[in-house]
Amino acid sequence: MQLAFSAGLQGFFLAFALWLQSGEHFSPLKAGLTAVAFSVGSFAAAPFAVPLAHKHGRRILVSGAVLLAAGCAGVLAAVSHVGPDGSPWPVVPGLAVAGAGLALLVIPLVNVVLAAVPAAVAGGASGIFSTAQQLGGALGVALLGTVYFGALAAGHSFAAAMTRTTPYAIGAFALCGVLSLLLPRTAVTDENLAGGGAGDDSQLAAAAAPAG
Protein backbone atom coordinates (compact mmCIF):
# COMPACT_ATOMS: atom_id res chain seq x y z
CA MET A 1 0.00 0.00 0.00
CA GLN A 2 2.78 2.41 0.91
CA LEU A 3 4.53 1.72 -2.40
CA ALA A 4 1.36 2.25 -4.47
CA PHE A 5 0.45 5.40 -2.53
CA SER A 6 3.90 6.96 -2.89
CA ALA A 7 4.07 6.10 -6.58
CA GLY A 8 0.70 7.69 -7.25
CA LEU A 9 1.36 10.80 -5.18
CA GLN A 10 4.86 11.58 -6.41
CA GLY A 11 3.96 10.84 -10.02
CA PHE A 12 0.83 12.98 -9.84
CA PHE A 13 2.57 16.01 -8.39
CA LEU A 14 5.40 15.77 -10.89
CA ALA A 15 2.89 16.01 -13.72
CA PHE A 16 0.85 18.63 -11.86
CA ALA A 17 3.81 20.95 -11.30
CA LEU A 18 5.04 20.62 -14.88
CA TRP A 19 1.58 21.26 -16.27
CA LEU A 20 1.04 24.41 -14.20
CA GLN A 21 4.48 25.92 -14.71
CA SER A 22 5.40 24.83 -18.25
CA GLY A 23 1.92 24.47 -19.71
CA GLU A 24 -0.09 27.19 -17.99
CA HIS A 25 2.89 29.50 -17.32
CA PHE A 26 2.32 29.73 -13.58
CA SER A 27 5.26 31.08 -11.62
CA PRO A 28 6.82 28.65 -9.11
CA LEU A 29 5.23 30.70 -6.31
CA LYS A 30 1.76 30.62 -7.87
CA ALA A 31 2.04 26.88 -8.56
CA GLY A 32 3.18 26.27 -4.99
CA LEU A 33 0.34 28.32 -3.54
CA THR A 34 -2.10 26.34 -5.68
CA ALA A 35 -0.78 23.11 -4.20
CA VAL A 36 -1.37 24.51 -0.69
CA ALA A 37 -5.02 23.47 -1.15
CA PHE A 38 -3.82 19.86 -0.90
CA SER A 39 -2.10 20.60 2.41
CA VAL A 40 -5.17 22.41 3.73
CA GLY A 41 -7.31 19.35 3.08
CA SER A 42 -4.74 17.15 4.78
CA PHE A 43 -4.45 19.37 7.85
CA ALA A 44 -8.23 19.57 8.17
CA ALA A 45 -8.65 15.79 8.22
CA ALA A 46 -5.51 14.88 10.16
CA PRO A 47 -6.91 15.31 13.70
CA PHE A 48 -9.70 12.83 12.96
CA ALA A 49 -7.65 10.17 11.17
CA VAL A 50 -6.34 8.06 14.07
CA PRO A 51 -9.48 8.31 16.28
CA LEU A 52 -11.59 7.21 13.32
CA ALA A 53 -9.18 4.35 12.62
CA HIS A 54 -9.53 3.16 16.23
CA LYS A 55 -13.28 3.08 15.75
CA HIS A 56 -13.57 1.87 12.16
CA GLY A 57 -10.20 0.28 11.37
CA ARG A 58 -9.34 -0.37 7.77
CA ARG A 59 -12.56 1.20 6.50
CA ILE A 60 -10.98 4.60 7.15
CA LEU A 61 -8.07 3.64 4.92
CA VAL A 62 -10.48 2.65 2.18
CA SER A 63 -12.27 5.97 2.60
CA GLY A 64 -8.96 7.82 2.33
CA ALA A 65 -8.05 5.99 -0.86
CA VAL A 66 -11.46 6.79 -2.35
CA LEU A 67 -11.07 10.48 -1.50
CA LEU A 68 -7.58 10.56 -3.01
CA ALA A 69 -8.81 9.00 -6.23
CA ALA A 70 -11.89 11.26 -6.31
CA GLY A 71 -9.84 14.37 -5.67
CA CYS A 72 -7.43 13.57 -8.48
CA ALA A 73 -10.40 12.89 -10.72
CA GLY A 74 -11.70 16.34 -9.79
CA VAL A 75 -8.39 17.90 -10.77
CA LEU A 76 -8.48 15.95 -14.03
CA ALA A 77 -11.95 17.27 -14.81
CA ALA A 78 -10.78 20.85 -14.15
CA VAL A 79 -7.67 20.78 -16.33
CA SER A 80 -9.43 22.26 -19.33
CA HIS A 81 -10.76 25.15 -17.20
CA VAL A 82 -7.33 26.51 -16.24
CA GLY A 83 -5.93 28.72 -18.98
CA PRO A 84 -2.41 30.09 -19.43
CA ASP A 85 -1.58 32.19 -16.37
CA GLY A 86 -5.24 31.88 -15.43
CA SER A 87 -7.03 31.22 -12.16
CA PRO A 88 -6.05 28.12 -10.18
CA TRP A 89 -9.44 27.89 -8.46
CA PRO A 90 -10.89 25.17 -10.71
CA VAL A 91 -8.41 22.62 -9.35
CA VAL A 92 -8.58 23.73 -5.71
CA PRO A 93 -11.60 21.59 -4.64
CA GLY A 94 -10.08 18.43 -6.07
CA LEU A 95 -6.76 19.12 -4.37
CA ALA A 96 -8.47 19.71 -1.02
CA VAL A 97 -10.44 16.47 -1.27
CA ALA A 98 -7.31 14.55 -2.23
CA GLY A 99 -5.46 16.08 0.73
CA ALA A 100 -8.17 14.92 3.11
CA GLY A 101 -7.85 11.46 1.59
CA LEU A 102 -4.11 11.47 2.20
CA ALA A 103 -4.66 12.14 5.91
CA LEU A 104 -7.21 9.36 6.28
CA LEU A 105 -5.09 6.87 4.34
CA VAL A 106 -1.53 7.48 5.50
CA ILE A 107 -1.71 8.81 9.06
CA PRO A 108 -3.50 5.77 10.60
CA LEU A 109 -1.90 3.24 8.23
CA VAL A 110 0.80 2.20 10.69
CA ASN A 111 -1.79 1.80 13.48
CA VAL A 112 -3.78 -0.62 11.34
CA VAL A 113 -0.83 -2.56 9.95
CA LEU A 114 0.83 -3.07 13.33
CA ALA A 115 -2.36 -4.66 14.65
CA ALA A 116 -1.13 -7.80 12.88
CA VAL A 117 2.62 -7.39 13.46
CA PRO A 118 4.32 -9.04 16.45
CA ALA A 119 6.11 -6.56 18.69
CA ALA A 120 9.40 -8.36 18.09
CA VAL A 121 9.41 -7.37 14.42
CA ALA A 122 7.82 -3.93 14.72
CA GLY A 123 11.18 -2.31 13.97
CA GLY A 124 11.50 -4.29 10.76
CA ALA A 125 7.97 -3.31 9.77
CA SER A 126 8.86 0.35 10.28
CA GLY A 127 11.90 -0.10 8.04
CA ILE A 128 9.74 -1.66 5.35
CA PHE A 129 7.40 1.34 5.53
CA SER A 130 10.28 3.73 4.91
CA THR A 131 11.77 1.62 2.13
CA ALA A 132 8.42 1.23 0.36
CA GLN A 133 7.85 4.99 0.55
CA GLN A 134 11.18 5.79 -1.06
CA LEU A 135 10.92 3.06 -3.68
CA GLY A 136 7.33 3.96 -4.52
CA GLY A 137 8.20 7.62 -5.00
CA ALA A 138 11.04 6.75 -7.35
CA LEU A 139 8.84 4.35 -9.34
CA GLY A 140 6.03 6.87 -9.55
CA VAL A 141 8.28 9.60 -10.89
CA ALA A 142 9.85 7.18 -13.38
CA LEU A 143 6.65 5.55 -14.63
CA LEU A 144 4.24 8.49 -14.63
CA GLY A 145 7.02 10.76 -15.82
CA THR A 146 7.52 8.43 -18.78
CA VAL A 147 3.82 8.67 -19.62
CA TYR A 148 3.86 12.47 -19.26
CA PHE A 149 6.95 13.14 -21.34
CA GLY A 150 5.93 10.48 -23.82
CA ALA A 151 2.74 12.41 -24.50
CA LEU A 152 4.72 15.62 -24.95
CA ALA A 153 7.12 13.87 -27.30
CA ALA A 154 4.16 12.68 -29.36
CA GLY A 155 3.13 16.31 -29.93
CA HIS A 156 0.41 16.61 -27.29
CA SER A 157 -0.03 19.73 -25.19
CA PHE A 158 0.93 19.96 -21.53
CA ALA A 159 -2.75 19.79 -20.60
CA ALA A 160 -3.21 16.65 -22.70
CA ALA A 161 -0.14 15.12 -21.08
CA MET A 162 -1.67 15.86 -17.68
CA THR A 163 -4.95 14.22 -18.64
CA ARG A 164 -3.09 11.15 -19.89
CA THR A 165 -0.99 10.82 -16.75
CA THR A 166 -3.49 11.47 -13.95
CA PRO A 167 -5.54 8.28 -14.51
CA TYR A 168 -2.47 6.24 -13.57
CA ALA A 169 -2.27 8.06 -10.25
CA ILE A 170 -5.99 7.45 -9.73
CA GLY A 171 -5.40 3.77 -10.43
CA ALA A 172 -2.62 3.66 -7.83
CA PHE A 173 -4.91 5.14 -5.19
CA ALA A 174 -7.69 2.75 -6.14
CA LEU A 175 -5.21 -0.09 -5.66
CA CYS A 176 -4.52 1.25 -2.17
CA GLY A 177 -8.22 0.98 -1.41
CA VAL A 178 -8.34 -2.63 -2.57
CA LEU A 179 -5.22 -3.56 -0.61
CA SER A 180 -6.71 -1.92 2.49
CA LEU A 181 -9.27 -4.71 2.57
CA LEU A 182 -6.46 -7.19 3.26
CA LEU A 183 -5.41 -5.40 6.46
CA PRO A 184 -6.74 -6.00 9.99
CA ARG A 185 -10.16 -4.63 10.74
CA THR A 186 -8.86 -2.80 13.81
CA ALA A 187 -5.99 -0.49 14.77
CA VAL A 188 -3.58 -0.38 17.68
CA THR A 189 -3.44 2.71 19.86
CA ASP A 190 -0.77 5.37 19.77
CA GLU A 191 0.24 4.33 23.29
CA ASN A 192 1.06 0.84 22.05
CA LEU A 193 3.01 2.27 19.12
CA ALA A 194 5.04 4.48 21.44
CA GLY A 195 5.63 1.56 23.75
CA GLY A 196 7.36 -0.54 21.13
CA GLY A 197 5.30 -1.30 18.09
CA ALA A 198 2.00 -2.99 18.76
CA GLY A 199 2.58 -3.54 22.46
CA ASP A 200 3.08 -6.95 24.02
CA ASP A 201 1.94 -10.16 22.36
CA SER A 202 -1.23 -10.41 24.44
CA GLN A 203 -2.26 -6.88 23.47
CA LEU A 204 -1.48 -7.67 19.89
CA ALA A 205 -3.56 -10.83 19.90
CA ALA A 206 -6.50 -8.91 21.31
CA ALA A 207 -6.10 -6.15 18.74
CA ALA A 208 -5.78 -8.51 15.79
CA ALA A 209 -8.58 -10.86 16.81
CA PRO A 210 -11.37 -9.12 14.84
CA ALA A 211 -9.36 -9.62 11.66
CA GLY A 212 -9.59 -13.37 12.03
Side-chain angles (χ1 to χ4, degrees):
M1 277 187 62
Q2 184 78 310
L3 189 146
F5 162 76
S6 296
L9 188 69
Q10 298 293 340
F12 171 79
F13 272 103
L14 170 69
F16 184 75
L18 289 170
W19 163 59
L20 285 183
Q21 294 186 61
S22 298
E24 307 302 341
H25 307 297
F26 280 31
S27 68
L29 177 60
K30 186 175 180 179
L33 290 174
T34 301
V36 165
F38 184 86
S39 298
V40 170
S42 181
F43 278 120
F48 309 101
V50 172
L52 286 173
H54 291 161
K55 184 175 182 180
H56 301 289
R58 66 189 180 193
R59 286 180 291 179
I60 293 305
L61 306 184
V62 175
S63 299
V66 170
L67 288 177
L68 265 167
C72 288
V75 172
L76 179 61
V79 165
S80 62
H81 300 287
V82 179
D85 201 25
S87 171
W89 285 108
V91 299
V92 166
L95 288 173
V97 170
L102 176 143
L104 296 181
L105 175 65
V106 174
I107 292 176
L109 179 58
V110 65
N111 300 72
V112 175
V113 170
L114 289 185
V117 175
V121 297
S126 177
I128 291 174
F129 263 79
S130 178
T131 301
Q133 181 180 16
Q134 298 298 324
L135 179 60
L139 286 174
V141 168
L143 297 176
L144 274 69
T146 297
V147 174
Y148 189 89
F149 287 107
L152 293 179
H156 296 287
S157 66
F158 284 94
M162 180 67 180
T163 60
R164 288 171 178 262
T165 304
T166 302
Y168 290 93
I170 295 172
F173 299 139
L175 177 60
C176 288
V178 173
L179 293 175
S180 296
L181 299 176
L182 302 178
L183 296 177
R185 293 190 178 93
T186 188
V188 297
T189 64
D190 289 338
E191 289 76 11
N192 282 342
L193 291 178
D200 61 31
D201 292 337
S202 62
Q203 290 173 318
L204 174 65

